[in-house]
Every structure is written in C-alpha cells, then in structure tokens.
Amino acid sequence: ELTGELSYQANNLHLIGKGNELQMGYKHIYREHLLNAATRKFYTNIHNLFFTESFALGGPFDSYVALRSEWTTNRMETNRSNYHTLLPTMALNANTKIGRIAATYSRKINRPSVDYLNPETFYVSEHEMFQGNIALVPQYTNNFSMQFSKQLRSSYLNIFATYARTSNLIELVFSDNQDRSTYENAAQA
C-alpha cells in the first residue's frame, strides 16, 4: 500500500467569524493486491480532498464543519468500478447556564475489502465454497447524535442519544447452489 498526504492549516483567518481554524488537504491511497491465483491483481485508487473549519458563532455557540470528497476506482482485469462520495461532518455546541448541549451529524463510508470483491472461488471443502462479488458498493452510515453534559460539584452528568442508519449493508448470502456463498449489498440497518 502506498499512501501520501498533503495538508495545510491556517488559524485565525476570519473567513466565517473570529477565532476560527481552517484546515484543508489532499490524500491519495494506492493499493495493489495479488489475488489467490497469483497472476491476477486488484487495484484500488482513492483520492481524498478535505476541508475542516471550526469557529465561534458568538455568544455561547461554536461549530465545526468538515467536508471530505472522495473519488475511488477499483480495477481487476477488465472489471472497473468508479464512485464519488461526499462525507460531511457537522457539530453545533452551546454552553448554557444549565450545561453544555451538542448536536452532531456525520456520514461515514465502509468500503468492501478485496476479499469481498475477489471473484475467484475459494474452496473450503467439496461442499463449501466462497466467491467474492466485484459489483459490491460501499456501505454508508449516517450518524445523528445529541449530548447534554453538566458538572455537578466534582462529578459530571452526561446524557447521550444517537441514531445511525446504514445503507448498502454488505451481507454473506447463499447462492442457488447451497454450497456456494457470496457477498451482496443486501440490507439496511
């Protein structure tokens, strides 16, 4: 695996408000996998461009915003898949008289591993075999959370609620032939 990263950070730019912090950067990941047959290779290329900004909104409010944009290419012989993903993260915080309140949202990606994508058949026994699925797409999870915290003398009270929704969930499924299993984007959670 070859990974490179270039980032730039600038503080106190006053783009959105006073006391903000801006960071931007680029990251490239290149992976080359040798599959079971030892003659077949699987390539992954990921280009990642990101911006983060944290700033005070005035009064008791502050915020954090991050935006990551990814372009991914998977290639094995004549099979090729490309996809673009936008992954935002946002947080809003308020320090009030009754305590600190925070609300956050984030979108995450979980790419299928090369084992899940490998179309070669792997024989465990004569009655059990696995085969990957080159058509798999990544899982995406949207996370929402709320948090309340308050200091009570020498202790802290924290109340936290979260909700997560995952699409394109990758599941192990059996094919028509009950001896063969593969992976599919078969569910949501």
Side-chain angles (χ1 to χ4, degrees):
E1 179 176 307
L2 176 64
T3 302
E5 186 169 351
L6 173 66
S7 66
Y8 172 76
Q9 182 172 337
N11 297 333
N12 300 316
L13 289 178
H14 308 295
L15 295 177
I16 296 177
K18 292 185 178 181
N20 64 335
E21 186 176 296
L22 173 69
Q23 184 177 13
M24 59 184 112
Y26 169 79
K27 183 176 184 180
H28 177 248
I29 300 170
Y30 173 79
R31 295 182 181 131
E32 183 177 314
H33 304 276
L34 190 59
L35 302 179
N36 295 339
T39 58
R40 300 173 86 182
K41 291 183 180 177
F42 183 87
Y43 304 92
T44 300
N45 243 328
I46 303 168
H47 298 275
N48 180 316
L49 184 62
F50 63 90
F51 299 92
T52 64
E53 175 81 14
S54 57
F55 48 92
L57 294 172
F61 298 102
D62 63 86
S63 184
Y64 172 81
V65 177
L67 186 59
R68 197 169 89 208
S69 185
E70 289 189 357
W71 294 268
T72 303
T73 301
N74 290 320
R75 181 173 54 89
M76 189 184 89
E77 296 169 352
T78 59
N79 295 315
R80 182 184 196 106
S81 65
N82 298 300
Y83 54 89
H84 174 259
T85 305
L86 197 59
L87 302 164
T89 298
M90 295 170 267
L92 179 62
N93 304 303
N95 288 315
T96 67
K97 292 179 184 178
I98 61 168
R100 181 171 176 82
I101 301 168
T104 60
Y105 165 77
S106 65
R107 184 170 195 233
K108 306 288 183 194
I109 185 172
N110 185 10
R111 293 178 201 84
S113 73
V114 69
D115 295 330
Y116 287 18
L117 296 166
N118 184 356
E120 295 177 345
T121 301
F122 175 71
Y123 295 90
V124 176
S125 70
E126 67 180 272
H127 298 291
E128 185 179 3
M129 51 196 115
F130 293 93
Q131 184 175 22
N133 179 355
I134 194 109
L136 287 176
V137 296
Q139 298 179 163
Y140 295 101
T141 302
N142 292 296
N143 295 302
F144 302 89
S145 66
M146 294 286 297
Q147 181 176 5
F148 172 78
S149 56
K150 180 175 179 68
Q151 184 172 358
L152 303 170
R153 295 185 184 150
S154 62
S155 301
Y156 286 91
L157 170 67
N158 287 305
I159 300 171
F160 189 77
T162 187
Y163 171 79
R165 174 105 172 136
T166 301
S167 60
N168 300 328
L169 197 61
I170 298 170
E171 294 286 335
L172 182 64
V173 296
F174 289 96
S175 64
D176 296 336
N177 171 355
Q178 293 297 315
D179 294 343
R180 182 182 303 267
S181 58
T182 188
Y183 300 94
E184 289 184 10
N185 295 106
Q188 293 190 47

